[in-house]
Amino acid sequence: MEEIDFSEIQQVLNEILGNEMDFQDMVRQGMEGKSLLSPESLGSLFQKIFLEELLAQKQMWLHILILAIAAAVLIHFADVFQNQSVSQISFCMIYMILFLILIASFQSSMGIAKGVLKSMQNFMTVLAPAYFLAMMLTSYITSAGIYYEFILLLISVVRWFTEAFVMPCIEIYVLLILANYLSKEARLTRFAELTGMVVSWSLKGVLALVMGFHMIQGIISPAADAFRTSTVSRGLEMVPGVGNISGSVTDLVLGSAMLIKNGIGAAALAALIVLCLVPLVKLAVIMAAYYVLAAVLQPISDERITGCLAGMGTGVKMLFQAVFTVLVLFLLTIALTTAMTGR
């Protein structure tokens, strides 16, 4: 294992998480069959992040609540004004203030999503050389070459796909929702639904393509590598005098390399989960808060306010789905590659 350089991986993890995770030590624990992530530690970390995010967002939710109640007062007591346009102008002013607050909140959520996506891509970029070097030491040379090219392609495609298509579509959806509820007539609902459907089906399509690649490639290249390894091992065993010793040494070396490769794969899975846990919890809290506010305010506030809040919750939900889908893509790639080349 000393021949494999983990310094770049550790540097990236230190930049993202601080000095809380020793990747090489996690690889050793994975090789020894120890648990890398305990449910108790993950549960306590989840609870801590959840409470911290609630406290961090408390002031903004209070402002939204006050604005929603003020809008409800203006609408339900509009008969006080002799000119009905006064109440409508006042509602529009309140809505524009709410518009600015929600846009600022969504930009913060967008920053969380973009930050964790960039972190995952940087981690996978520095992980690939070490991981596939370990795979080559197990004699899975063909598989290592194919999967290495696929990983690099996947990282590039995911970066382009999320930055150039998914994130702009989610931003368009949120702007459509905010503009749609500015007037009483909902004129952009179907357009917003179409945008949301495009994002959802795009993420599902990418996930299906990655799964299809692993299913097809997992049938071909690992079998060819396994056949070549078996042929070499059997050929060494046929050498008179030292055949049995050579075959045993070969099996021992390949088994050790396989153990190292699986340890790196297990450590990479744990690192990705820890890396994404905090941002995903933050997005989940923001999403849930929007839905709760919309439900609580529906009996008293104007339907345009509650519809706007519910739409914002859906927008943050799309960000959560985008991050979670990319995480699943990388987790499946590592897990399936490790499993298919572990025979």
Side-chain angles (χ1 to χ4, degrees):
M1 192 171 70
E2 288 73 15
E3 298 178 359
I4 302 176
D5 185 13
F6 297 111
S7 59
E8 291 187 2
I9 299 175
Q10 190 62 50
Q11 182 180 354
V12 170
L13 289 177
N14 290 342
E15 292 175 356
I16 300 171
L17 302 174
N19 297 321
E20 299 179 1
M21 181 176 291
D22 188 336
F23 188 80
Q24 189 166 351
D25 185 59
M26 292 177 64
V27 172
R28 289 195 182 95
Q29 292 180 15
M31 292 171 59
E32 295 172 1
K34 297 180 180 178
S35 176
L36 300 181
L37 296 175
S38 63
E40 293 79 10
S41 61
L42 288 178
S44 61
L45 180 60
F46 177 87
Q47 184 178 6
K48 178 183 177 183
I49 300 167
F50 183 83
L51 294 176
E52 287 180 354
E53 190 62 24
L54 281 180
L55 293 175
Q57 300 288 337
K58 179 179 66 175
Q59 186 175 7
M60 188 184 66
W61 305 134
L62 182 61
H63 291 164
I64 293 175
L65 188 63
I66 293 173
L67 288 172
I69 293 175
V73 170
L74 286 173
I75 294 299
H76 293 304
F77 296 97
D79 294 337
V80 175
F81 301 101
Q82 295 181 354
N83 189 350
Q84 296 293 324
S85 62
V86 174
S87 64
Q88 293 300 324
I89 293 173
S90 301
F91 175 84
C92 289
M93 292 177 63
I94 292 176
Y95 189 87
M96 293 307 297
I97 297 174
L98 181 63
F99 184 100
L100 295 176
I101 293 176
L102 293 179
I103 284 293
S105 173
F106 183 76
Q107 288 299 322
S108 175
S109 301
M110 182 75 75
I112 294 173
K114 288 183 177 180
V116 68
L117 288 174
K118 184 178 179 180
S119 298
M120 280 193 288
Q121 292 160 5
N122 291 340
F123 175 75
M124 291 297 295
T125 301
V126 297
L127 172 71
Y131 179 75
F132 289 105
L133 174 59
M135 185 183 293
M136 289 181 65
L137 296 177
T138 63
S139 80
Y140 280 86
I141 301 174
T142 304
S143 299
I146 293 175
Y147 281 115
Y148 183 62
E149 292 179 357
F150 172 74
I151 286 288
L152 295 180
L153 178 63
L154 179 64
I155 294 170
S156 301
V157 169
V158 165
R159 182 180 305 229
W160 172 85
F161 181 69
T162 54
E163 293 180 357
F165 183 75
V166 175
M167 293 301 176
C169 284
I170 297 176
E171 286 182 314
I172 291 172
Y173 173 86
V174 169
L175 290 175
L176 288 173
I177 288 294
L178 292 175
N180 182 58
Y181 290 105
L182 184 58
S183 62
K184 291 184 176 181
E185 296 82 11
R187 301 181 183 276
L188 300 172
T189 304
R190 301 304 177 193
F191 196 4
E193 291 177 355
L194 176 62
T195 306
M197 187 176 66
V198 168
V199 172
S200 177
W201 281 100
S202 298
L203 294 174
K204 292 176 182 177
V206 172
L207 187 59
L209 287 175
V210 173
M211 288 295 296
F213 170 83
H214 284 294
M215 291 177 63
I216 296 172
Q217 199 59 46
I219 299 174
I220 303 172
S221 57
D225 286 324
F227 175 76
R228 183 178 59 251
T229 303
S230 177
T231 302
V232 172
S233 179
R234 295 296 181 271
L236 291 174
E237 291 177 357
M238 293 175 64
V239 177
V242 296
N244 292 332
I245 298 176
S246 299
S248 299
V249 171
T250 301
D251 293 339
L252 179 62
V253 172
L254 293 179
S256 301
M258 188 72 68
L259 194 61
I260 295 173
K261 183 210 61 167
N262 292 348
I264 296 175
L269 293 176
L272 278 173
I273 292 173
V274 173
L275 189 149
C276 296
L277 180 62
V278 174
L280 285 177
V281 172
K282 288 183 177 181
L283 290 175
V285 170
I286 296 172
M287 174 185 66
Y290 277 126
Y291 284 132
V292 170
L293 280 175
V296 170
L297 291 172
Q298 187 174 20
I300 60 173
S301 187
D302 187 79
E303 61 181 5
R304 288 176 285 177
I305 298 294
T306 57
C308 176
L309 293 175
M312 289 296 299
T314 304
V316 179
K317 179 183 176 182
M318 290 181 185
L319 291 177
F320 182 93
Q321 289 175 337
V323 173
F324 188 76
T325 300
V326 174
L327 173 61
V328 170
L329 284 177
F330 290 149
L331 291 178
L332 283 177
T333 298
I334 296 172
L336 292 177
T337 303
T338 303
M340 290 176 180
T341 58
R343 295 188 290 270

